[in-house]
Amino acid sequence: MSLSCMFRETPAGLASIAADLIATHIHSAINATGECLIAVAGGTTPVSTYRELSRLDIDWAKVIFVQTDERVTPQPTDRSAGLIETALGLTDPGHRATWSPIRVSGDGQETAAAYDNQLSRLRAEGVPDIAVLGLGTDGHTASIFDHTLGEAPYQRVVATTYHGEQRVSLGLNYLRAVPTRILLATGTGKRAALAEILNPATGTAPASAAVVLGQDGYVLADAAAHPGQA
């Protein structure tokens, strides 16, 4: 299938359909292989979706959550993992899902190498079944920025720098190989970047377009990010 677009008037409406879509693909993966490995983004946009998802009837014991990217900072409060854990309830007593976050150890390169090993233990070959992605105002997704497009053609985990801040991210082509990629966009600040994804011009499309365009790619946005749609 080609890129699918879904729009809702409000962020709450968007979170509801996004959670249902993710749950559908989780069920499909579990039915096919007995488990679902899902990569999830941090940031504020996916939080409502994760809260909705956590309330759905899913066999969580067969779900493994990993991160799309993380800041390499000594301060845990500055990292994305905390938002994800709280919204999905992953640290609640009795939660049965497996949570495998990026654990910062040393610099970006060291952290990336450690997470690459961590992912290989979860799934020695292949990629996650689902990737839930956010959208930066400049068009980046995960921690993949335009300047990283020329890096090695296939890396599972990469270290990069954004505005002087070290980050670790799943690699561009690794994410592109994920069977189901779901990009979430809310708010007027995402409008220009979303327009470039939906109407890409040769040589100017943002990094996020390279990730999400193609088979089983989804773009979900609210009216503020894509006015005139509902």
Side-chain angles (χ1 to χ4, degrees), residues 10 30 36 46 51 87 104-105 120 123 126 129 134 140 147 155 174 196 210 228:
T10 65
I30 291 173
C36 178
R51 287 176 181 152
V104 175
S105 56
S120 69
R123 182 166 290 180
D129 302 292
H140 80 267
H147 72 271
Q155 283 182 268
Y174 183 71
E196 290 184 338

Short mmCIF file of all heavy atoms in Angstrom, two decimals, residues 10 30 36 46 51 87 104-105 120 123 126 129 134 140 147 155 174 196 210 228:
data_model
loop_
_atom_site.label_atom_id
_atom_site.label_comp_id
_atom_site.label_asym_id
_atom_site.label_seq_id
_atom_site.Cartn_x
_atom_site.Cartn_y
_atom_site.Cartn_z
N THR A 10 -9.17 17.54 16.32
CA THR A 10 -8.50 17.85 17.59
C THR A 10 -7.39 16.86 17.90
O THR A 10 -7.41 15.72 17.43
CB THR A 10 -9.51 17.82 18.74
OG1 THR A 10 -10.00 16.47 18.89
CG2 THR A 10 -10.69 18.76 18.47
N ILE A 30 1.45 -9.93 16.60
CA ILE A 30 1.37 -11.03 17.56
C ILE A 30 0.76 -12.26 16.91
O ILE A 30 1.24 -13.39 17.10
CB ILE A 30 0.55 -10.60 18.80
CG1 ILE A 30 1.33 -9.55 19.60
CG2 ILE A 30 0.23 -11.81 19.67
CD1 ILE A 30 0.54 -8.94 20.74
N CYS A 36 5.29 -8.68 19.35
CA CYS A 36 5.38 -7.42 18.60
C CYS A 36 6.48 -6.58 19.20
O CYS A 36 6.47 -6.28 20.40
CB CYS A 36 4.06 -6.67 18.66
SG CYS A 36 4.13 -5.07 17.79
N PRO A 46 3.29 12.39 21.01
CA PRO A 46 2.71 11.04 21.15
C PRO A 46 2.12 10.72 22.52
O PRO A 46 1.50 9.66 22.66
CB PRO A 46 3.92 10.12 20.88
CG PRO A 46 5.01 10.99 20.39
CD PRO A 46 4.74 12.33 20.95
N ARG A 51 -1.22 7.18 26.07
CA ARG A 51 -2.20 7.01 27.16
C ARG A 51 -3.43 6.25 26.67
O ARG A 51 -3.94 5.36 27.36
CB ARG A 51 -2.61 8.38 27.71
CG ARG A 51 -1.53 9.05 28.55
CD ARG A 51 -1.95 10.43 28.98
NE ARG A 51 -0.92 11.09 29.76
CZ ARG A 51 -0.76 12.41 29.82
NH1 ARG A 51 -1.58 13.21 29.14
NH2 ARG A 51 0.20 12.93 30.56
N ALA A 87 3.50 7.71 30.18
CA ALA A 87 2.30 7.69 29.34
C ALA A 87 1.80 6.27 29.10
O ALA A 87 0.59 6.02 29.07
CB ALA A 87 2.57 8.39 28.02
N VAL A 104 21.82 5.67 28.65
CA VAL A 104 22.98 6.52 28.35
C VAL A 104 24.19 6.02 29.13
O VAL A 104 24.16 5.90 30.36
CB VAL A 104 22.68 7.99 28.69
CG1 VAL A 104 23.93 8.85 28.50
CG2 VAL A 104 21.52 8.50 27.84
N SER A 105 25.27 5.72 28.37
CA SER A 105 26.51 5.25 28.98
C SER A 105 27.66 5.82 28.17
O SER A 105 27.91 5.40 27.05
CB SER A 105 26.57 3.72 29.00
OG SER A 105 26.40 3.20 27.70
N SER A 120 20.07 -6.20 19.24
CA SER A 120 20.41 -7.49 18.63
C SER A 120 20.02 -8.65 19.53
O SER A 120 19.70 -9.74 19.06
CB SER A 120 21.91 -7.56 18.29
OG SER A 120 22.69 -7.61 19.46
N ARG A 123 16.11 -8.90 18.99
CA ARG A 123 15.78 -9.44 17.67
C ARG A 123 17.06 -9.46 16.85
O ARG A 123 17.48 -8.44 16.30
CB ARG A 123 14.69 -8.61 16.99
CG ARG A 123 14.26 -9.14 15.64
CD ARG A 123 12.96 -8.50 15.15
NE ARG A 123 11.81 -8.93 15.95
CZ ARG A 123 10.56 -8.52 15.73
NH1 ARG A 123 10.31 -7.65 14.75
NH2 ARG A 123 9.57 -8.97 16.48
N GLY A 126 16.38 -8.64 11.42
CA GLY A 126 15.14 -7.95 11.14
C GLY A 126 14.99 -6.66 11.92
O GLY A 126 15.89 -6.23 12.64
N ASP A 129 8.45 -4.29 14.29
CA ASP A 129 7.23 -4.47 13.51
C ASP A 129 6.54 -3.13 13.25
O ASP A 129 5.88 -2.95 12.22
CB ASP A 129 6.27 -5.39 14.26
CG ASP A 129 6.89 -6.75 14.55
OD1 ASP A 129 7.12 -7.50 13.59
OD2 ASP A 129 7.18 -7.04 15.73
N GLY A 134 7.53 10.91 15.78
CA GLY A 134 7.11 12.29 15.90
C GLY A 134 7.68 13.11 14.76
O GLY A 134 8.40 12.60 13.89
N HIS A 140 12.59 16.97 10.96
CA HIS A 140 13.29 15.75 11.36
C HIS A 140 12.32 14.79 12.06
O HIS A 140 11.25 15.18 12.53
CB HIS A 140 14.48 16.07 12.27
CG HIS A 140 14.13 16.34 13.70
ND1 HIS A 140 13.89 17.61 14.19
CD2 HIS A 140 13.98 15.50 14.76
CE1 HIS A 140 13.63 17.54 15.48
NE2 HIS A 140 13.67 16.28 15.85
N HIS A 147 21.17 16.40 7.57
CA HIS A 147 22.61 16.22 7.35
C HIS A 147 23.06 14.78 7.58
O HIS A 147 24.20 14.43 7.27
CB HIS A 147 23.41 17.17 8.25
CG HIS A 147 23.40 16.80 9.70
ND1 HIS A 147 22.44 17.26 10.57
CD2 HIS A 147 24.22 16.02 10.43
CE1 HIS A 147 22.67 16.79 11.77
NE2 HIS A 147 23.75 16.03 11.71
N GLN A 155 22.64 1.40 9.11
CA GLN A 155 23.10 1.26 10.49
C GLN A 155 21.88 1.13 11.38
O GLN A 155 20.91 1.88 11.23
CB GLN A 155 23.90 2.49 10.92
CG GLN A 155 25.32 2.53 10.38
CD GLN A 155 26.06 3.76 10.89
OE1 GLN A 155 26.05 4.80 10.26
NE2 GLN A 155 26.68 3.61 12.06
N TYR A 174 17.32 1.73 8.55
CA TYR A 174 16.76 0.76 9.49
C TYR A 174 15.29 1.08 9.74
O TYR A 174 14.42 0.20 9.70
CB TYR A 174 17.57 0.78 10.78
CG TYR A 174 17.15 -0.22 11.82
CD1 TYR A 174 17.39 -1.59 11.66
CD2 TYR A 174 16.53 0.19 13.00
CE1 TYR A 174 17.01 -2.51 12.63
CE2 TYR A 174 16.16 -0.72 13.98
CZ TYR A 174 16.40 -2.07 13.78
OH TYR A 174 16.04 -2.98 14.75
N GLU A 196 5.60 19.66 3.47
CA GLU A 196 6.73 19.17 2.66
C GLU A 196 6.71 17.66 2.53
O GLU A 196 7.15 17.11 1.52
CB GLU A 196 8.05 19.65 3.27
CG GLU A 196 8.28 21.14 3.12
CD GLU A 196 9.64 21.57 3.64
OE1 GLU A 196 10.21 20.83 4.47
OE2 GLU A 196 10.13 22.63 3.24
N ALA A 210 11.68 10.83 3.97
CA ALA A 210 12.42 9.65 3.54
C ALA A 210 12.08 8.45 4.41
O ALA A 210 12.12 7.31 3.95
CB ALA A 210 13.93 9.91 3.58
N GLY A 228 -7.97 22.40 7.23
CA GLY A 228 -8.89 22.05 6.16
C GLY A 228 -9.20 20.57 6.11
O GLY A 228 -10.05 20.14 5.35
#
